[in-house]
Amino acid sequence: MRSSRTSSGIAVAGLLLAALSAAPAHAAALSPPPGYGCEVTYASADWATGFTALLTISNTGSKPFSPWILQFLFSGNQKITVGWSATWTQTPPSVQAVNPTWAKSIDPGASTSLGFQGTYSGINDKPTDFTLNGVPCKVTYTDIS
């Protein structure tokens, strides 16, 4: 026979597990850690099968991003051919830009600029899901004139 203490512990653990599994899995990703915030301006210019993108990353929080990694997703067949002011890698649909050695930190209130050229066919949709060190960023899209 089980003691009431063991049965109560199992019941509480079961309730806790049920409550955690009912919570949305993305809830933690919606709120950045205290002190962290970012904004990305994505400016692009397209031509027949290529494009240029200029990005500005702004630290809108009170803590530095040091070192930093910017990540985002392409929805189409976009391929980065050359990039600058970061080390660029791409595993479709994901893109990653890692800070250069000469700019390892984005301090609060500061920003940094980087960019790339790429190719595509069909439609060149704007990338989505920008994060800086895993912190979701506000994004503004503009066209290069």
Side-chain angles (χ1 to χ4, degrees):
M1 180 172 154
R2 287 187 185 159
S3 72
S4 62
R5 175 182 248 178
T6 304
S7 297
S8 296
I10 292 171
V12 168
L15 288 172
L16 180 59
L17 182 59
L20 289 174
S21 63
H26 65 307
L30 297 177
S31 301
Y36 290 96
C38 53
E39 185 171 344
V40 174
T41 301
Y42 181 92
S44 62
D46 294 6
W47 58 91
T49 59
F51 66 107
T52 297
L54 304 174
L55 294 84
T56 301
I57 306 169
S58 300
N59 183 344
T60 60
S62 61
K63 295 183 178 179
F65 286 98
S66 181
W68 57 265
I69 299 173
L70 178 71
Q71 294 179 299
F72 57 88
L73 300 174
F74 277 127
S75 64
N77 62 1
Q78 296 94 333
K79 179 175 171 52
I80 294 176
T81 56
V82 64
W84 53 91
S85 298
T87 300
W88 293 90
T89 57
Q90 183 176 14
T91 306
S94 299
V95 175
Q96 180 173 291
V98 176
N99 63 263
T101 56
W102 46 267
K104 289 186 178 182
S105 183
I106 307 173
D107 292 327
S111 62
T112 192
S113 297
L114 55 155
F116 62 89
Q117 284 190 323
T119 61
Y120 72 98
S121 63
I123 297 172
N124 185 19
D125 288 330
K126 305 293 188 212
T128 62
D129 300 327
F130 284 83
T131 62
L132 187 61
N133 292 4
V135 174
C137 298
K138 177 184 175 193
V139 183
T140 303
Y141 298 99
T142 62
D143 291 326
I144 299 172
S145 317

